Amino acid sequence: MMFRSKYIEVNNVRTHILESYEGDIPIVMTHGFTDNAECLIPMCQELPDKLRPIIFDARAHGLSEAPKNGYSEQNMANDVVELINNLD
């Protein structure tokens, strides 16, 4: 499975995502609190071909921006909602 790397703005944070070139049905995947998007690539290899994984680096993880604040559970959940709303 091939991925493209890109950045989108999520709640005023420059956020890195990995998006698959394959599959028709998008599925957003989130990593654990101490991980990053790349740790989910092996799991994506096991998904049905019809799914198009979109994995993002949460704020201050992987290649995403690390703002000075905004690390509550609510803010992190809001980032996922905003990411989904911003996707094409």
Side-chain angles (χ1 to χ4, degrees):
M1 182 170 287
M2 301 284 295
F3 289 88
R4 65 178 152 242
S5 174
K6 68 181 189 178
Y7 291 89
I8 63 172
E9 193 78 14
V10 175
N11 292 324
N12 299 314
V13 176
R14 185 173 186 251
T15 302
H16 176 252
I17 67 170
L18 295 173
E19 184 174 18
S20 175
Y21 288 100
E22 304 167 29
D24 296 323
I25 302 169
I27 179 172
V28 173
M29 300 176 71
T30 63
H31 58 76
F33 192 72
T34 61
D35 295 322
N36 63 38
E38 289 188 13
C39 75
L40 292 173
I41 291 174
M43 185 184 300
C44 292
Q45 307 299 337
E46 303 300 321
L47 294 173
D49 292 340
K50 64 184 175 184
L51 296 180
R52 180 173 49 90
I54 301 165
I55 316 166
F56 81 106
D57 284 324
R59 55 177 68 209
H61 291 78
L63 299 175
S64 289
E65 182 180 22
K68 291 183 181 183
N69 53 39
Y71 296 99
S72 70
E73 291 173 354
Q74 185 63 52
N75 284 338
M76 302 293 266
N78 288 341
D79 287 349
V80 177
V81 172
E82 184 69 16
L83 169 76
I84 292 168
N85 288 336
N86 287 343
L87 291 172
D88 293 333

